[in-house]
């Protein structure tokens, strides 16, 4: 049915937790809660405990052909979704974030999906620390890759991990991303995150809808998505923009109230583009300039006028910057030797790093004595290594300290 169904009345909750792959549970507190008060009951802290034999060994789950499948982490350890054995299963999942405001203040779904262009996992904006690593006791929703045939996914002992973050070695993501974050405006002047979607740009992505795109999961409350070829998407993957183009924002299930739509740009500032927000309803926010190096706030109101809550009210219009031709001329004026531009560069390969060594390629770098420094994500220096650079294009390696996670 593609919906959660209640437990059978018999035996109800008096069953082994392993009877199902996962559950959607609303936890209000300990046993002192007065159930007769409903949602008005005071929330208290509580601890959930699972008793029984620790599960080990490989576990295979059948994946529905054209409906969601619940995948639970069976181990007393986090698992790396990226290493799970997938047969006709999308390299993406949906996970519930209870810290998102949602329509009832109880949370909303966050989408996690592998980006072949950047080699990392994209995550729609969340309030909790969510990544490709699924915690012990957590369940997620997955889909078949083609939406036609069933698939299987196998969780192995080798998929266990001590990791809990995608930020390795302090290397920030270079993926070009536009995020659309939808907030509710509260009476106290604060904003609560309701929902989010994102578009990722890469030369390897397609200009049309394909299996790299991740559909938006329908929820009970307000939502924001990107629209392409008739598909509403939580994560849209598009070919890199070089000129005039449009990102179509899709709003749904809006209520009469004040909202904020944040347009967040990541790694878009160097692409020689300009962008504006198009608002079909309000002249106040129509043609608002988008900061392609940061966040643009779009405050708006939904009222009784259907145009104020139209699904296609907002879009983002991109154009080539007027500085593009100037920049191209500057590139052409660089000094060339034997037809090759003599600009110095240091590149890490492969990127992301694999194994125990960081490899560098140094091109057109002057000979001499250098120092290589490695910092962690907190900006702390964790390793240094001297380097005596010879003339010409050379390479070097730097071992990764064993003390790093």
């Amino acid at each position: 049915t593609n919906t959660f169904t209640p437990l059978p009345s018999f035996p109800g909750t008096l069953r082994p937790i392993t009877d199902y792959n996962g559950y959607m549970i609303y936890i209000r507190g300990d046993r002192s809660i007065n159930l007769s008060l409903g949602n008005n009951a005071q929330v208290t802290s509580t601890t959930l405990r699972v008793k029984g034999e620790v599960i080990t060994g490989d576990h295979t789950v059948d994946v529905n052909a054209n409906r969601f499948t619940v995948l639970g982490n069976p181990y007393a350890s986090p698992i790396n979704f990226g290493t799970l054995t997938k047969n006709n299963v999308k390299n993406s999942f949906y996970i519930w974030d209870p810290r998102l405001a949602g329509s009832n203040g109880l949370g909303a779904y966050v989408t996690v999906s592998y980006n072949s262009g950047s080699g990392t996992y994209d995550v729609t904006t969340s309030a909790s620390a969510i990544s490709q690593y699924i915690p012990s006791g957590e369940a997620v929703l997955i889909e078949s890759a083609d939406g036609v045939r069933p698939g299987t996914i196998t969780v192995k002992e080798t998929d266990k991990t001590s990791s809990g973050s995608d930020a390795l070695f302090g290397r920030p993501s270079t993926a070009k991303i536009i995020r659309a974050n939808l907030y509710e405006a509260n009476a106290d002047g604060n904003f609560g995150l309701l929902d989010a979607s994102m578009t990722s740009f890469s030369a390897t992505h397609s200009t049309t809808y394909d299996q790299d795109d991740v559909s938006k999961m329908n929820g009970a409350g307000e939502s924001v998505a990107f629209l392409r070829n008739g598909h509403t998407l939580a994560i849209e993957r598009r070919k890199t923009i070089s000129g005039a183009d449009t990102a179509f924002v899709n709003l749904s299930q809006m209520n009469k109230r004040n909202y904020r739509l944040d347009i967040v740009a990541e790694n878009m500032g160097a692409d020689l583009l300009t962008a504006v927000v198009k608002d079909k309803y309000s002249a106040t926010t129509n043609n608002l300039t988008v900061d392609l190096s940061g966040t643009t706030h779009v405050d708006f109101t939904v009222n009784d006028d259907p145009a104020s809550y139209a699904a296609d009210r907002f879009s983002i219009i991109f154009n080539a910057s007027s500085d593009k031709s100037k920049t191209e001329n500057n590139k052409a004026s660089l000094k060339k030797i034997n037809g090759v531009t003599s600009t110095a560069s240091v590149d890490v390969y492969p990127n992301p790093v694999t194994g125990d060594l960081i490899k560098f390629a140094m091109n057109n770098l002057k000979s001499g004595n250098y120092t290589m420094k490695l910092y962690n994500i907190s900006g702390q220096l964790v390793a240094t290594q001297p380097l005596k650079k010879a003339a010409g294009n050379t390479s070097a390696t730097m071992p990764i300290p064993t003390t790093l996670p």
Side-chain angles (χ1 to χ4, degrees):
T1 62
N2 232 18
T3 59
F4 284 101
T5 56
L7 287 174
S9 57
F10 181 83
T13 58
L14 299 176
R15 63 172 65 242
I17 195 171
T18 52
D19 280 4
Y20 297 97
N21 290 330
Y23 305 81
M24 172 65 82
I25 305 175
Y26 175 39
I27 303 168
R28 292 181 288 186
D30 60 23
R31 295 182 183 275
S32 67
I33 290 290
N34 185 348
L35 298 180
S36 66
L37 296 178
N39 290 335
N40 295 320
Q42 182 180 0
V43 177
T44 62
S45 298
T46 190
T47 301
L48 300 182
R49 294 183 178 90
V50 178
K51 296 182 179 180
E53 185 178 349
V54 174
I55 297 176
T56 59
D58 297 350
H59 290 265
T60 299
V61 175
D62 294 327
V63 178
N64 294 316
N66 54 12
R67 298 185 303 277
F68 291 112
T69 297
V70 177
L71 171 68
N73 178 358
Y75 300 139
S77 163
I79 57 174
N80 183 356
F81 186 80
T83 62
L84 303 188
T85 303
K86 308 174 187 72
N87 176 25
N88 192 38
V89 175
K90 272 192 172 184
N91 201 353
S92 59
F93 61 87
Y94 302 88
I95 187 169
W96 186 261
D97 182 356
R99 294 182 179 177
L100 286 178
S103 58
N104 297 304
L106 301 175
Y109 281 103
V110 172
T111 307
V112 181
S113 176
Y114 182 73
N115 186 336
S116 59
S118 64
T120 58
Y121 278 82
D122 292 331
V123 183
T124 55
T125 302
S126 62
S128 301
I130 290 175
S131 70
Q132 73 193 69
Y133 305 107
I134 302 174
S136 174
E138 184 69 77
V140 301
L141 297 177
I142 57 176
E143 299 174 283
S144 68
D146 58 15
V148 176
R149 297 173 295 119
T152 60
I153 189 165
T154 301
V155 186
K156 300 180 179 180
E157 289 283 335
T158 52
D159 298 319
K160 292 179 177 178
T161 178
S162 59
S163 299
S165 170
D166 292 330
L168 302 177
F169 313 127
R171 175 175 53 81
S173 171
T174 58
K176 302 177 188 297
I177 291 172
I178 292 289
R179 297 182 183 273
N181 300 335
L182 181 65
Y183 296 84
E184 60 180 350
N186 298 319
D188 60 3
N190 293 318
F191 294 87
L193 181 61
L194 293 170
D195 193 35
S197 290
M198 59 174 283
T199 296
S200 174
F201 302 91
S202 171
T204 63
H205 294 331
S206 171
T207 56
T208 58
Y209 172 81
D210 61 15
Q211 291 187 10
D212 283 338
D213 299 303
V214 184
S215 298
K216 188 70 179 181
M217 190 172 186
N218 292 328
E222 301 101 313
S223 72
V224 60
F226 284 98
L227 184 68
R228 185 158 54 128
N229 302 136
H231 297 272
T232 53
L233 304 172
I235 298 181
E236 178 187 29
R237 302 261 166 67
R238 301 181 59 183
K239 190 172 288 294
T240 303
I241 293 177
S242 59
D245 212 325
T246 302
F248 297 97
V249 178
N250 188 87
L251 301 176
S252 65
Q253 303 183 101
M254 307 299 287
N255 295 313
K256 289 188 290 184
R257 61 185 307 167
N258 295 325
Y259 293 95
R260 169 172 286 180
L261 178 66
D262 273 1
I263 308 299
V264 184
E266 301 175 13
N267 303 308
M268 298 287 291
D271 280 356
L272 305 174
L273 294 170
T274 62
V276 296
V277 174
K278 298 297 291 185
D279 184 347
K280 292 183 177 181
Y281 180 72
S282 173
T284 303
T285 49
N286 189 39
N287 291 320
L288 181 68
T289 300
V290 174
D291 180 1
L292 291 177
S293 297
T295 300
T296 303
H297 301 308
V298 184
D299 293 320
F300 68 101
T301 299
V302 169
N303 53 40
D304 289 325
D305 189 341
S308 71
Y309 52 86
D312 62 348
R313 173 174 171 173
F314 294 105
S315 59
I316 306 170
I317 308 296
F318 297 92
N319 279 293
S321 169
S322 60
D323 291 335
K324 185 170 184 178
S325 58
K326 185 189 301 183
T327 304
E328 294 297 329
N329 291 334
N330 290 341
K331 288 181 180 179
S333 65
L334 291 174
K335 181 180 178 182
K336 293 187 177 182
I337 300 176
N338 295 329
V340 180
T341 304
S342 57
T343 53
S345 66
V346 178
D347 298 310
V348 176
Y349 70 96
N351 190 357
V353 173
T354 58
D356 299 325
L357 288 176
I358 303 174
K359 301 176 182 179
F360 301 89
M362 295 168 285
N363 302 313
N364 302 312
L365 200 64
K366 292 181 179 180
S367 60
N369 295 320
Y370 294 84
T371 300
M372 297 187 291
K373 297 181 179 181
L374 180 63
Y375 294 84
N376 64 15
I377 193 171
S378 300
Q380 299 168 320
L381 180 65
V382 294
T384 60
Q385 179 176 306
L387 171 67
K388 188 172 184 179
K389 170 71 172 59
N393 295 339
T394 59
S395 61
T397 61
M398 182 179 187
I400 298 173
T402 57
T403 55
L404 287 181

